[in-house]
């Protein structure tokens, strides 16, 4: 478990050497995030969900290092260091490396919330030019990430099929809830049929070096436009199977998220800008498949919230409607051949 006084200590401005005016704590299911002025400190919770394991200090240190290493590819000026948290002889906790380290934190520069893509989209301030910049920036990042034997293995059809079938197996219990039997069966059969009919295409994607160590969670809340900089953050560090794969899967994720949020035109602008900068001529051939895959993944994750007995009625209804919209989007993709 994490140190019992960790949250209390890190919630105080005097804990931090730069003495921020205030500290805001945000919790996710896997992290404590402390916003301390213009710096952010992210501590991994000592949890094991099967797909990730942060239960020991050594594992948390390893994945903090991985988080910084991997995210520096996308946001080199945002991800700064991994810092230790010690307990001194008097039992006080301090943010520094030294003897008796009890925890580790990822140190980051604070990102402007109102400049994230989902905020700009909500405010009607997201332009075609801005989205073209995002597409071209992502293409340049991926140009610098090699495709090697290790990454290519994740492009094999057997691996892709395992991920796809796992999604349907894990969501079958939601039939009759946020997804109808007809929609579920149609999405599943289309996905399996696409793989069976396009083995040559998937092989070609491997041969063309499009299978890489990617981001894995590329949606509107993980992209920020700050002045001249494009910041892409929160790459998945805790599970290689969720991160390695075809670059088209990441492109599809962001494109799908635009569709989900009612702006397909901007999604298409992003895709076209990526293709123009990357020269990836076969991306459009696999894009429909990966958009369906990503919509089902989001439907699955949102559906899982329905199993949480701690949700109030309003939160449960929001989760139900959110999952339904993702299933509906996947169904639209496969019935309209978008």
């Amino acid at each position: 478990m994490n140190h019992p006084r960790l949250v209390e200590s890190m919630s105080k401005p005097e804990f931090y050497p730069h003495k921020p005016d205030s500290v805001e704590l945000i919790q996710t299911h896997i992290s404590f995030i402390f916003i301390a002025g213009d710096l952010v400190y992210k501590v991994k919770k000592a949890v094991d969900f099967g797909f990730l394991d942060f239960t020991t200090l050594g594992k948390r240190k390893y994945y903090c290092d991985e988080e910084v290493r991997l995210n520096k590819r996308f946001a080199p000026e945002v991800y700064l260091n991994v810092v230790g948290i010690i307990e001194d002889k008097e039992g006080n906790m301090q943010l520094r490396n030294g003897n008796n380290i009890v925890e580790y934190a990822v140190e980051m520069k604070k990102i402007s919330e109102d400049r994230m893509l989902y905020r700009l989209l909500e405010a009607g301030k997201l332009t075609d030019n801005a989205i073209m910049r995002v597409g071209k920036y992502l293409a340049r990042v991926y140009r610098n990430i090699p495709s090697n034997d290790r990454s290519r293995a994740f492009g094999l059809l057997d691996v892709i099929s395992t991920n796809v079938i796992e999604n349907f197996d894990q969501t079958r219990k939601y039939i009759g809830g946020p997804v109808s039997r007809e929609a579920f069966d149609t999405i599943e059969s289309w996905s399996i049929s696409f793989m069976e009919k396009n083995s040559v295409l998937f092989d070609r994607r491997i041969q063309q070096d499009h299978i890489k160590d990617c981001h894995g969670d590329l949606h509107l809340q993980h992209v920020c436009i700050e002045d001249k900089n494009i910041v892409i953050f929160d790459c998945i560090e805790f599970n290689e199977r969720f991160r390695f794969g075809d670059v088209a899967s990441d492109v599809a994720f962001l494109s799908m998220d635009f569709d989900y949020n009612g702006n397909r035109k901007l999604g298409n602008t992003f895709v076209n800008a990526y293709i123009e900068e990357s020269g990836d001529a076969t991306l459009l051939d696999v894009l429909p498949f990966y958009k369906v895959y990503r919509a089902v993944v989001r439907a699955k994750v949102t559906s899982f919230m329905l199993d949480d007995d701690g949700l109030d009625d309003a939160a449960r209804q929001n989760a139900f409607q959110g999952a339904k919209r993702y299933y509906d989007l996947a169904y639209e993709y496969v019935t309209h051949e978008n």
Side-chain angles (χ1 to χ4, degrees):
M1 61 179 291
N2 299 101
H3 194 287
R5 293 200 308 279
L6 176 76
V7 172
E8 177 188 1
S9 298
M10 294 191 72
S11 296
K12 298 176 180 178
E14 57 267 28
F15 175 82
Y16 302 90
H18 65 292
K19 299 298 188 291
D21 292 334
S22 62
V23 180
E24 178 186 359
L25 169 63
I26 298 174
Q27 292 196 51
T28 71
H29 62 302
I30 62 173
S31 301
F32 298 108
I33 302 168
F34 301 89
I35 303 175
D38 58 356
L39 293 175
V40 176
Y41 294 87
K42 185 176 178 182
V43 175
K44 300 187 185 304
K45 292 183 176 180
V47 293
D48 182 354
F49 290 121
F51 61 87
L52 66 80
D53 183 358
F54 297 158
T55 51
T56 69
L57 182 61
K59 289 177 180 178
R60 296 196 293 279
K61 169 65 163 61
Y62 172 79
Y63 285 113
C64 281
D65 289 336
E66 283 291 276
E67 181 170 356
V68 172
R69 179 183 72 83
L70 292 165
N71 279 286
K72 274 185 175 292
R73 303 174 303 169
F74 300 95
E77 297 180 357
V78 171
Y79 285 80
L80 303 176
N81 298 292
V82 176
V83 294
I85 299 167
I86 70 165
E87 184 177 27
D88 64 21
K89 294 179 180 178
E90 287 73 39
N92 300 312
M93 302 186 74
Q94 299 179 33
L95 185 68
R96 65 179 178 86
N97 293 313
N99 295 324
N100 199 26
I101 291 179
V102 296
E103 196 54 81
Y104 292 92
V106 171
E107 182 181 55
M108 307 166 57
K109 287 184 180 178
K110 184 181 178 182
I111 301 169
S112 300
E113 178 78 18
D114 61 353
R115 301 300 301 171
M116 294 182 187
L117 290 194
Y118 80 103
R119 290 293 193 195
L120 293 171
L121 186 63
E122 288 174 349
K125 296 180 179 179
L126 202 50
T127 65
D128 283 354
N129 183 62
I131 291 306
M132 289 173 66
R133 288 175 55 205
V134 173
K136 290 178 181 295
Y137 177 76
L138 183 66
R140 291 193 294 270
V141 171
Y142 279 157
R143 185 180 300 148
N144 292 324
I145 297 175
S147 179
N148 52 33
D149 288 344
R150 184 183 181 200
S151 61
R152 290 186 195 104
F154 289 87
L156 295 173
L157 195 52
D158 285 348
V159 176
I160 297 170
S161 178
T162 296
N163 293 339
V164 170
I165 292 171
E166 178 183 79
N167 283 334
F168 290 112
D169 287 345
Q170 292 177 342
T171 54
R172 208 173 300 279
K173 64 180 179 178
Y174 301 111
I175 294 172
V179 60
S180 68
R181 165 66 69 181
E182 177 187 358
F184 187 96
D185 289 349
T186 300
I187 299 165
E188 182 179 30
S189 62
W190 183 92
S191 300
I192 293 173
S193 176
F194 187 97
M195 290 186 291
E196 290 174 346
K197 294 177 180 178
N198 291 281
S199 59
V200 173
L201 175 58
F202 287 105
D203 287 342
R204 187 179 304 132
R205 296 294 293 174
I206 297 174
Q207 294 162 7
Q208 293 174 342
D209 291 338
H210 295 307
I211 315 302
K212 301 189 176 188
D213 186 348
C214 295
H215 184 283
D217 200 20
L218 190 65
H219 53 75
L220 292 172
Q221 291 180 307
H222 288 165
V223 183
C224 182
I225 302 176
E226 290 191 318
D227 299 323
K228 296 181 179 180
N229 293 327
I230 304 295
V231 177
I232 299 175
F233 60 99
D234 228 6
C235 159
I236 290 178
E237 85 286 355
F238 53 79
N239 191 312
E240 290 186 347
R241 185 162 66 93
F242 295 172
R243 189 178 73 246
F244 278 80
D246 195 321
V247 295
S249 185
D250 270 2
V251 173
F253 199 160
L254 193 57
S255 176
M256 181 277 298
D257 207 17
F258 275 115
D259 295 348
Y260 179 82
N261 285 280
N263 203 313
R264 187 159 302 191
K265 179 177 178 292
L266 284 178
N268 292 338
T269 298
F270 161 70
V271 171
N272 291 335
Y274 180 91
I275 293 173
E276 180 182 350
E277 182 70 21
S278 67
D280 186 349
T282 58
L283 184 142
L284 287 177
D285 296 332
V286 291
L287 188 69
F289 171 79
Y290 282 114
K291 288 179 76 168
V292 172
Y293 171 73
R294 287 301 188 178
V296 173
V297 169
R298 293 303 298 166
K300 176 179 74 171
V301 172
T302 311
S303 295
F304 283 169
M305 296 174 64
L306 301 174
D307 301 330
D308 185 348
D309 293 334
L311 284 186
D312 60 30
D313 290 342
R316 186 175 300 279
Q317 182 62 21
N318 285 338
F320 183 95
Q321 292 300 327
K324 184 177 185 303
R325 284 178 60 203
Y326 282 117
Y327 286 120
D328 288 348
L329 182 59
Y331 183 69
E332 178 186 343
Y333 287 150
V334 304
T335 54
H336 290 80
E337 296 293 330
N338 286 343

